Amino acid sequence: MTTETTPPQGEKLQKILAGAGIGSRREMERWISEGRVSVNGETATLGDRASAEDRISVDGRPVKLDNYASKVRRVIAYNKPEGEICSRSDPEGRPTVFDRLPKLSGERWIAIGRLDLNTSGLILFTTDGELASRLMHPSHEIEREYAVRVMGNVTEQKVKNLFEGVELEDGPARFTDIVDSGGAGINRWFHVCIMEGRNREVRRLWESQELTVSRLKRVRFANVIIPDHLRMGQWEELDKDAIDTLAAHVDLEPAPLPTVRKQARTTHSGLKGPRGKTAAQSKGKKRPSPHKKSSPHKRNRFS
């Protein structure tokens, strides 16, 4: 006799919270484990499911599920200055990347990756925790591009080592693209690409070759290139086409988008040196399709 199994009802709680813009899926899993989340008055546990009709609370405060139910997805690009940290608050009172972002009601901005204190450039923020989680997960191999000023004697052999891979303290690492962008004396600019977001990975790769990074700026994340007009400390909301392309990188369907907002507040001067151009653009190449992974062995254009 065959026994029919009733399929689980609703979606995983951490997915709902992430979709509502409360935080990333991984962060929500931690909050559930800590007993901070309740459903219909009962403390939730990992594995629980719910729907938009349930009463979900975090730390006793009701969660608005309007955005989750409507599947609205917002993404903004922020040009981070050096000296800002990527935490929501800092005991030392240092400025954070969240200080300048537009205010939200019933949800919050989720940072897609981080940049260290002394690195400037592009950080993406979204209200969609599922999008953030997928874009940060190593399995999706999202390309990040940096403009980097290197101090020291950069030889062909050292560049070959960085392209073929070196062993760092947390495992092997490599650049998938290296483009010489010019410079004079012991200071030279390069554009480099990596597929991961490990802590200080770009700096540590160059340091493995006894070279020093004196300036570092992220200029691209996946298909999103930092606009030339976006000065440090400014943000700009992405249009629907850019967001849909970004979502397609991680196999998410297009979602509705509210009216695009732009901000033009000037706070800092731009970075001196190469900015805005991607590695492919600096050689006059067309950008590869955003739905195709680049072949690193065909893209090393160091000269």
Side-chain angles (χ1 to χ4, degrees):
M1 180 177 177
T2 303
T3 302
E4 292 186 3
T5 302
T6 303
Q9 299 297 308
E11 288 191 288
K12 287 186 177 180
L13 186 54
Q14 60 265 32
K15 185 175 181 180
I16 292 177
L17 291 169
I22 306 303
S24 69
R25 221 178 341 146
R26 186 174 301 177
E27 187 178 17
M28 294 303 98
E29 289 173 355
R30 186 175 71 250
W31 287 12
I32 295 169
S33 298
E34 294 171 353
R36 298 175 59 184
V37 181
S38 65
V39 179
N40 299 325
E42 300 289 332
T43 301
T45 59
L46 275 179
D48 285 355
R49 291 176 177 265
S51 69
E53 286 72 41
D54 288 308
R55 292 181 289 106
I56 301 174
S57 299
V58 174
D59 296 332
R61 298 179 179 179
V63 174
K64 293 182 179 180
L65 299 178
D66 296 350
N67 283 343
Y68 168 75
S70 63
K71 303 297 182 184
V72 168
R73 179 182 294 144
R74 292 177 64 186
V75 179
I76 59 175
Y78 177 65
N79 189 352
K80 173 192 175 296
E82 294 178 11
E84 289 186 353
I85 64 171
C86 288
S87 299
R88 293 187 182 275
S89 61
D90 180 51
E92 300 178 27
R94 292 173 296 183
T96 85
V97 293
F98 293 92
D99 292 342
R100 306 178 194 271
L101 303 187
K103 304 302 180 184
L104 296 173
S105 176
E107 55 185 343
R108 64 178 186 167
W109 293 113
I110 304 165
I112 301 174
R114 302 167 68 91
L115 293 175
D116 65 42
L117 183 69
N118 297 318
T119 300
S120 64
L122 178 66
I123 298 184
L124 299 180
F125 294 85
T126 182
T127 57
D128 186 339
E130 180 69 14
L131 176 65
S133 292
R134 293 196 186 194
L135 286 169
M136 289 186 283
H137 199 281
S139 64
H140 288 288
E141 297 186 327
I142 300 300
E143 195 171 64
R144 301 137 166 100
E145 183 172 339
Y146 295 80
V148 53
R149 189 174 69 188
V150 178
M151 185 170 63
N153 182 24
V154 182
T155 65
E156 292 274 1
Q157 184 58 51
K158 290 180 178 180
V159 171
K160 183 179 179 182
N161 295 341
L162 292 172
F163 185 68
E164 293 183 346
V166 299
E167 191 69 30
L168 301 178
E169 58 268 29
D170 53 354
R174 61 190 293 270
F175 291 131
T176 59
D177 204 355
I178 306 173
V179 173
D180 187 344
S181 299
I186 63 171
N187 288 299
R188 294 172 64 183
W189 282 94
F190 294 86
H191 276 74
V192 298
C193 295
I194 57 174
M195 294 287 193
E196 299 176 294
R198 283 189 271 169
N199 184 42
R200 299 184 71 255
E201 187 173 2
V202 174
R203 294 181 187 273
R204 290 187 291 135
L205 275 164
W206 288 104
E207 288 167 0
S208 74
Q209 305 303 302
E210 300 181 341
L211 298 166
T212 302
V213 172
S214 56
R215 298 294 295 273
L216 183 61
K217 178 175 183 175
R218 185 156 65 195
V219 296
R220 179 169 61 86
F221 188 99
N223 59 294
V224 182
I225 302 169
I226 192 166
D228 285 333
H229 63 265
L230 193 66
R231 297 188 179 185
M232 289 189 182
Q234 292 185 339
W235 60 266
E236 182 172 282
E237 189 150 1
L238 271 59
D239 63 25
K240 179 169 173 56
D241 287 344
I243 294 176
D244 288 349
T245 301
L246 187 64
H249 277 281
V250 290
D251 305 319
L252 286 176
E253 295 295 323
L257 184 72
T259 304
V260 171
R261 301 162 181 82
K262 293 189 177 182
Q263 185 246 32
R265 177 163 49 93
T266 300
T267 54
H268 292 271
S269 60
L271 172 68
K272 293 180 180 179
R275 63 188 296 266
K277 288 187 177 181
T278 65
Q281 288 172 327
S282 67
K283 288 290 184 179
K285 304 282 187 179
K286 291 184 177 179
R287 291 293 305 144
S289 167
H291 303 291
K292 295 180 180 179
K293 298 286 192 303
S294 60
S295 175
H297 295 291
K298 296 180 180 180
R299 295 192 67 215
N300 184 14
R301 295 185 294 279
F302 174 81
S303 57

